[in-house]
Structures are given as structure tokens and as C-alpha cells.
Amino acid sequence: MKFNSIKFKVGNLFTIILGIILILYSVFLQVSLSKYLINDLDEELSGKVNELSSIISDELAASTGDDVYTVIQRIFSFQYPPKSSIVAVKKKKTVGESLSDEEKWFVRFDRLDLSQDMVAFFEVDGKLIYPSQNILADFLKKFTPKIGESLEEDVFKDATINKKHFRQIQSMISLPNGRQLYVLIAASEKPILDLLRHRQRLFMVSIPIILLLTAFLGRFLAVRILRPVNSIVVAARQISSRDLTKRLSDKDADEEMKVLIDSFNDMIARLERSFRHIEQFSSHVAHELKTPLAILRGETEVALRTDYTTSEYKTVLKENMEEIEQIIKVVEDLLLLAKLDYKPKFIKFEKFDFKEFFNAIVDKTKLIAEEKNINVSCLLPKEDIALEGDPLHLRRLFFNIIHNAIKFTPSGKNISLKAVKEDGLLKVSIADEGVGIPPEHLPFIFDRFFQVPGRDEDPQKGTGLGLSIAQSVAKAHQGKIEAQSQLNKGSTFTVALPLA
Ligand code: ADP
């Protein structure tokens, strides 16, 4: 069994913890009960001392002339009245007959109930006056009071004599004639110990039974709770990178398991999307590189088979060079995209003046557009615009969009550039009067390698990565690009970037 498994925790660990708690609780119960019972016994012993003191005082007052020894002797001669006498007294009491003096003592002693206790009286100088009949010799040896010591308060002690446990009170009683006596009463602790032992046995039997039941129930519950997890595991094992279409069913699942299954399914869906994306991307990359490589190979093969003149070889090499440059461009663009998306530190942020930065772009745009006889206008706000970003990559962003605008706009038409500040953002729009983008293709123009189909005859054929790079640069700056277009009327790309 694994120690960090739920089955172990619910089944065994919980039982161990419960066991410790139960043991501590039973010890606490035993200690508190024993304290309570001993306290009770102490109070009973105190009561007995007081009652004994008042009986002796009463008897001394009643029998003039008798000394205290005789009185105590006499009192204790009543201590164990024969059973028949007690029965007779009880009968008299129920009938309502008056009791003799002796019988009255029977009643008082019966109530005092010293029959099970050991009693001894001592003078203050330590001389033993009277020991009860049942007193043990060892008891007297152990508890003879210290001579001349006056007791302010009752003293309670535990004593073990002949393996028997006693609780004893040591007290000083004052008699009417001003004399003081020590009195010791020792009561057996057997009833208390018996009760505690009985409860201890009860705990020793019941705790293991409770623990066994808990362990059994814990394991049973753990198995039940983990059943849905097992079915998730089985289903999850069937899902591989080849088949990410499978989903786990949350039918009949518990509420918490539903959350787990939902997040698991969400994760699979995300993985499926990513895998599909990677698949498409890889096939695009392969396709994009395959064409120029095939051309390269074809031209090189022909050149090797044919005896060309130097100038003919040069022409072949020039054409090959163009294909190689196309390949390098694709590879560089892909590398740039990977860095933009997965290496945030690749962007070097700095604060710069946007108007100065954009005017340089506009100047260059005008130069290029002039060649195609396209008119470029620019409208910037009067106030300064501060941006925080990487000017190098932002230049790439704008040129990618602007190059497209020039590429897809016929001669004699216009391109207008405009920047406005809006809601803490700088919005730069690049609007052309070009061929536009068919609405069904518009949602995909930022996808990697996407090119509007049917434009292969374009002499400045691109790679389909320009807008992806622009969008990645915008995202790396916490911005975005949106496109609107009308077929044969023109397109407008709006770049939104947060202001510094
Ligand atoms: P490319 O290198 O092919 O230009 P882009 O990612 O820059 O790749 O653009 C993707 C496609 O979006 C282009 O092939 C083109 O069909 C379309 N497109 C982009 N900008 C414009 C525009 N201003 N007017 C018309 N079509 C555009």
C-alpha cells in the first residue's frame, strides 16, 4: 500500500488518528472521573469527621463525669450493632415507637456508616487513644500523627497497605472542654478502583472495535469515492495524440468529479486544437519549402545535364539564388514568429516618440507608393504621442500592413494613414482602395501561411506570414490588429496599442 494514496489516508491514517484521539479521550475521562470520585470520597470523609466530632461532643455533654476515652469506647461499642438490633430499630421507627438512647445511637451510627472504614483517635502528643477493631497494624505505623503538630486544615492522603488502596483523612477535632484530638479515618478506594477498572476494560474492548469498524468503513468509502477516478483513468488511457476526439462522460458522476471531468475534457479540447494547429502548420511549412526546393532541384538537374555557357550558368544560379532567398525568408519569418510568441524577452521595450517614428515610415511608404503611382496621405494628432515598445518590431508591423496595402491597391488609387488617441489607446489605421478581401476569407487573414486563394498570379507573391507576424508583434505589446474590408473597394487595418 502506498503511504500517499487516498485509500491509505482514508482507511488507515484516519483510523490511526481516530485511535490516538479515542485513547487520549478515554485517558482524560478516566483521570477526570477518578479525580471526581476521590473528591467525593474526601468530602464524605470530611463529613464523617464532622459528624463524629459532634457525636463525641453530644455524648460528653450527656454523660457527665465520663472522660473522653470512655465516651469514645462507648460510642464505638455501638459501631457495629448486630443486624437484629438494626432491624428492630427500623421496625420501631416505622410503627412510631420511641427509641431508647442506645437505639438512637444505632440510628446515628448507621447513618454515619463507619463499618467499612478504619478509625483511630490520638492525643495531640501522639498517644493512641482508640483504634477501631478493623484497623490494620501497618496503617497505624504509617499514619501516627506528628507529635504536637496542630492541623489547620484536614489532610488527605492515599495509602497502600497490603496491596489495598485507602484514602485517609487526618483531622483535628475540638471538644467542648477545650481538648483537641487527632482523628484518622481511612476508607477503602476499592469501589472507585473497581469502577475505573471496569470502565478501562470497557474502553479497551470498545476502542479496537470502533477502530476496526472505522478502518473497514474508511476503505469501503475510499473504494467507492475512487471508483469514478478509476473510470477517468481508464478513459484517459484510451486518449492518445492520435485520437484526441474522445471525451470523458460526466453522466452519473458526483458534483466534484464533474468539475474534474469538465476540466479534463477542456484540456483535451485545447490539446486537440493545438495538435491540429501544429499539424496544419507543419504541412504549410513543408508545402512552403517544398515548392522552392523542387524548383531548385529541377533547375540544378537540368544545368548538370546540359552544357551551358558561363552566362547561362549564371542565369541558373541567379534564379536558384532567388529561390534560396525565398526559403531563407520563410525560415526567418518562422523563427521570428516563434520568438515573438514564446520568448517575451525578445521584445526590447523603450519609450519613444510615436510621431517621429511614424513620419519616417510615412516617408518611406510614399517613396515606394510613388513607383506604383499611389497617393499616400497621413493624418496625425497635434499633441505628442509617447509609446512604450520595441520600435524595430513595430516598424515591421506597420510595414507588413502597408506593403500589403501597396501590393493590393491599383495605380492611381489612395492609401490613407491615420492615428488617433482613444480610451488610453493609440489607434493607427491603414486604409487602402485596393481589391479588398472576400468576407469568407477575412476571418483567416491573420492565420499563418494564409493567402486569399486565386491570387497566385500576383508578381510580388508573399509567404502568408506577414499579417501573422504583425498580429504577434501587436500582441507582444498588449495590442491588437483588426481588419475590415469590402471586395473591390478596399481594406482598412486598425492597429491598437496601449499608450505609455
Ligand atoms: P502575404 O505575404 O501573402 O502578403 P499576409 O499575411 O501579409 O501574407 O497576408 C495574408 C493575405 O491577406 C494576403 O495573401 C492577401 O491575400 C490578404 N491581404 C492582406 N492585406 C490585404 C489588403 N490590404 N488588401 C487585400 N488583401 C490583403
Side-chain angles (χ1 to χ4, degrees):
M1 169 162 299
K2 285 179 192 153
F3 292 118
N4 61 353
S5 70
I6 293 180
K7 254 189 219 165
F8 173 78
K9 280 179 192 157
V10 178
N12 299 15
L13 200 61
F14 180 63
T15 312
I16 293 169
I17 293 170
L18 184 69
I20 294 170
I21 293 172
L22 282 178
I23 290 169
L24 289 178
Y25 184 59
S26 59
V27 169
F28 165 76
L29 282 184
Q30 287 295 79
V31 170
S32 59
L33 181 72
S34 115
K35 273 201 173 150
Y36 172 79
L37 292 174
I38 294 286
N39 243 354
D40 204 43
L41 185 61
D42 287 352
E43 272 175 26
E44 199 183 312
L45 287 173
S46 278
K48 282 181 177 178
V49 167
N50 290 340
E51 178 68 3
L52 203 56
S53 160
S54 86
I55 289 174
I56 294 169
S57 302
D58 288 354
E59 183 65 4
L60 267 176
S63 52
T64 39
D66 287 346
D67 63 10
V68 69
Y69 312 106
T70 327
V71 169
I72 291 172
Q73 288 279 357
R74 188 158 65 241
I75 290 168
F76 275 86
S77 66
F78 301 135
Q79 193 184 345
Y80 309 108
K83 260 237 154 7
S84 54
S85 315
I86 293 168
V87 174
V89 168
K90 278 189 182 156
K91 222 180 206 170
K92 271 190 176 180
K93 274 182 85 184
T94 41
V95 183
E97 266 180 57
S98 59
L99 304 174
S100 67
D101 281 352
E102 193 183 16
E103 284 167 339
K104 276 181 190 157
W105 285 118
F106 281 1
V107 174
R108 249 179 129 170
F109 251 97
D110 197 33
R111 232 183 274 144
L112 189 57
D113 191 21
L114 286 170
S115 58
Q116 303 299 318
D117 305 334
M118 296 188 280
V119 187
F121 290 90
F122 298 89
E123 288 279 16
V124 265
D125 61 4
K127 194 180 140 214
L128 177 69
I129 304 172
Y130 173 80
S132 60
Q133 293 161 14
N134 58 352
I135 207 146
L136 300 165
D138 285 351
F139 174 77
L140 283 176
K141 260 189 238 156
K142 273 198 176 175
F143 296 108
T144 306
K146 285 180 187 154
I147 297 159
E149 198 180 278
S150 170
L151 285 179
E152 302 267 312
E153 274 179 13
D154 295 347
V155 177
F156 296 95
K157 280 181 186 168
D158 286 312
T160 310
I161 299 160
N162 299 342
K163 290 186 185 161
K164 285 180 183 156
H165 300 279
F166 293 93
R167 182 79 177 160
Q168 63 123 0
I169 181 172
Q170 194 171 335
S171 182
M172 193 158 242
I173 55 173
S174 302
L175 300 174
N177 56 8
R179 283 187 66 170
Q180 287 190 311
L181 294 177
Y182 281 126
V183 59
L184 299 185
I185 304 178
S188 170
E189 285 181 346
K190 193 171 177 292
I192 296 177
L193 294 176
D194 282 351
L195 179 69
L196 289 175
R197 260 184 227 122
H198 171 72
R199 278 172 49 122
Q200 193 174 329
R201 274 197 297 274
L202 213 71
F203 286 138
M204 278 163 73
V205 175
S206 58
I207 289 178
I209 293 175
I210 293 173
L211 293 182
L212 269 175
L213 273 174
T214 317
F216 175 74
L217 274 175
R219 295 204 111 240
F220 175 72
L221 277 178
V223 171
R224 272 198 72 119
I225 291 169
L226 292 177
R227 205 175 288 156
V229 175
N230 286 340
S231 55
I232 293 177
V233 171
V234 171
R237 280 204 183 119
Q238 289 169 357
I239 298 172
S240 70
S241 64
R242 280 173 198 284
D243 185 10
L244 284 166
T245 50
K246 281 213 172 94
R247 296 287 180 274
L248 303 179
S249 155
D250 62 0
K251 209 173 125 247
D252 303 331
D254 298 326
E255 224 23 66
E256 294 83 351
M257 286 299 155
K258 268 188 187 155
V259 177
L260 179 69
I261 291 171
D262 285 352
S263 14
F264 192 81
N265 282 342
D266 279 353
M267 189 187 76
I268 302 291
R270 282 199 300 277
L271 277 178
E272 192 188 6
R273 277 199 297 277
S274 301
F275 269 98
R276 207 176 299 143
H277 187 76
I278 290 169
E279 258 170 32
Q280 282 171 356
F281 183 71
S282 317
S283 78
H284 276 310
V285 172
H287 178 77
E288 209 59 33
L289 296 178
K290 207 179 132 199
T291 318
L293 282 172
I295 297 170
L296 264 180
R297 192 175 63 183
E299 286 188 352
T300 313
E301 271 174 1
V302 174
L304 282 174
R305 263 190 269 121
T306 327
D307 282 338
Y308 279 151
T309 61
T310 316
S311 73
E312 280 169 336
Y313 275 126
K314 275 194 175 171
T315 315
V316 172
L317 284 176
K318 216 178 131 213
E319 279 164 9
N320 281 3
M321 194 63 195
E322 276 169 20
E323 295 305 330
I324 290 168
E325 260 160 16
Q326 174 74 4
I327 295 171
I328 290 173
K329 191 174 179 310
V330 171
V331 173
E332 275 177 353
D333 282 355
L334 285 174
L335 271 176
L336 177 65
L337 271 171
K339 281 181 187 164
L340 284 170
D341 291 349
Y342 302 109
K343 266 194 180 172
K345 281 188 188 151
F346 176 65
I347 302 277
K348 301 271 177 287
F349 280 88
E350 64 177 83
K351 211 167 175 181
F352 64 92
D353 177 4
F354 174 76
K355 275 163 79 177
E356 193 188 321
F357 160 85
F358 201 65
N359 277 328
I361 292 177
V362 175
D363 289 346
K364 201 161 176 218
T365 306
K366 280 180 178 166
L367 269 180
I368 308 167
E370 225 169 65
E371 289 171 18
K372 245 183 117 177
N373 193 23
I374 292 169
N375 176 46
V376 177
S377 65
C378 177
L379 198 68
L380 294 178
K382 283 203 176 72
E383 70 266 32
D384 287 344
I385 303 167
L387 268 194
E388 193 154 357
D390 188 329
L392 193 78
H393 291 107
L394 286 173
R395 191 170 295 127
R396 177 93 192 248
L397 179 162
F398 287 114
F399 271 125
N400 281 2
I401 300 173
I402 290 170
H403 276 146
N404 280 341
I406 295 172
K407 192 159 68 173
F408 296 106
T409 302
S411 289
K413 297 278 181 178
N414 299 305
I415 291 177
S416 21
L417 311 170
K418 198 171 127 192
V420 284
K421 280 182 173 181
E422 211 178 278
D423 306 329
L425 293 171
L426 173 69
K427 291 190 172 173
V428 186
S429 58
I430 297 113
D432 64 56
E433 296 174 355
V435 293
I437 302 159
E440 67 273 23
H441 296 309
L442 195 60
F444 308 107
I445 54 165
F446 293 102
D447 288 357
R448 278 159 208 199
F449 295 113
F450 179 81
Q451 290 182 307
V452 174
R455 287 182 184 167
D456 279 356
E457 64 284 356
D458 186 353
Q460 290 172 291
K461 192 176 173 291
T463 57
L465 290 171
L467 287 180
S468 294
I469 292 173
Q471 187 68 287
S472 290
V473 172
K475 278 187 182 158
H477 285 79
Q478 269 76 51
K480 62 175 178 184
I481 308 173
E482 278 169 3
Q484 287 167 321
S485 189
Q486 266 186 303
L487 204 54
N488 300 323
K489 282 202 172 156
S491 317
T492 302
F493 286 81
T494 310
V495 182
L497 295 167
L499 286 162

